[in-house]
Amino acid sequence: MALGTQSTGSPRAATLGPDLDRDGVAKAYGRWAPVYDLVFGPVFAQGRTLAAAAAERIGGRVLEVGVGTGLSLPAYRRAASIVGIDISAPMLEKARSRVARLALRNVERLAVMDAEHLDFGDASFDVVVAQYVVTAVPNPEVALDEFARVLRPGGEIVITTRIGAEGGLRRLVEHTLMPITSRLGWRTEFSWERYAAWAANAPVEIVERRALPPLGHFSLIRLRKREA
């Protein structure tokens, strides 16, 4: 099937065996919306800053997938054009209030949208930013396909993400916690190998992988889309 046109009913998605579902994730983040900034704002502050800085090095039109309450929006320079999407309407209401309060005129649009089914044409953006999102979608590789589809050749996908342990006690703990964290809206168990395997079969190259706090369990990943 063509890049970015896969659905949760595709053979690839079925093979992946999603352990999250779209409605469950939307409801989970709807519940998080009132306290999200307080709980996650300080924890992910450095990752948000670094992701925005990486996006600005490319410049142009930026798509932020999983924009949530818009915590990262003030970090982008005023000259950039930002489109933000999220699966949770309550989270986006917070983002809209932030945009209005801070007069962020570079924010072009905020919309409820599924990361696995982006309502944009091919090569619509210079940068796609996905902060702490990939482990929270039912079919991560399908979402990554969509990121690559809407990105122009030469542009970059900038991801901040939790990387699962490859072995040992932490891997056991992550596997044990999966039933709980799935209800909260994300996976604990998601290995680097899944990113590497996807990139090996996509029109992208990995240009950076950088450990992020806390404890180096998170990473910033940059992938550049190859020129046609």
Side-chain angles (χ1 to χ4, degrees):
M1 191 171 292
L3 181 70
T5 61
Q6 294 157 316
S7 69
T8 53
S10 71
R12 179 176 179 183
T15 300
L16 294 173
D19 42 27
L20 299 172
D21 68 88
R22 181 188 184 280
D23 291 341
V25 171
K27 290 176 182 177
Y29 280 92
R31 292 191 294 270
W32 277 115
V35 297
Y36 187 89
D37 290 7
L38 179 64
V39 174
F40 295 106
V43 175
F44 297 142
Q46 186 174 350
R48 287 193 303 272
T49 300
L50 292 173
E56 290 184 350
R57 285 196 292 270
I58 304 299
R61 193 175 187 225
V62 177
L63 171 65
E64 180 157 332
V65 180
V67 70
T69 63
L71 277 169
S72 61
L73 293 176
Y76 295 99
R77 68 178 185 271
R78 298 281 175 157
S81 175
I82 313 297
V83 175
I85 68 161
D86 202 278
I87 198 68
S88 169
M91 296 281 274
L92 279 180
E93 284 305 310
K94 296 275 189 179
R96 291 189 180 98
S97 296
R98 190 184 306 275
V99 168
R101 184 173 69 254
L102 300 179
L104 300 177
R105 296 180 180 85
N106 57 334
V107 178
E108 175 185 333
R109 177 187 176 193
L110 295 172
V112 175
M113 199 176 298
D114 185 347
E116 296 180 23
H117 305 280
L118 298 178
D119 188 22
F120 304 110
D122 296 354
S124 295
F125 296 93
D126 299 285
V127 189
V128 176
V129 177
Q131 301 197 55
Y132 311 103
V133 167
V134 174
T135 59
V137 296
N139 299 284
E141 285 84 353
V142 176
L144 289 167
D145 281 350
E146 280 289 85
F147 300 171
R149 179 184 66 80
V150 302
L151 182 67
R152 66 161 173 83
E156 288 192 7
I157 301 171
V158 179
I159 296 171
T160 52
T161 184
R162 190 179 191 283
I163 301 293
E166 302 304 325
L169 179 60
R170 184 161 74 91
R171 180 177 173 83
L172 177 62
V173 170
E174 290 170 353
H175 182 76
T176 302
L177 289 175
M178 268 298 299
I180 298 171
T181 60
S182 293
R183 290 195 293 272
L184 295 174
W186 64 82
R187 296 175 177 83
T188 51
E189 185 182 36
F190 197 88
S191 69
W192 168 252
E193 278 70 18
R194 286 185 71 169
Y195 287 104
W198 174 78
N201 293 285
V204 302
E205 58 182 346
I206 299 169
V207 294
E208 183 180 9
R209 176 188 175 185
R210 185 194 319 182
L212 296 173
L215 304 175
H217 294 176
F218 296 82
S219 292
L220 183 144
I221 303 168
R222 293 171 45 230
L223 306 108
R224 183 174 298 120
K225 187 171 182 178
R226 291 191 291 269
E227 299 287 348

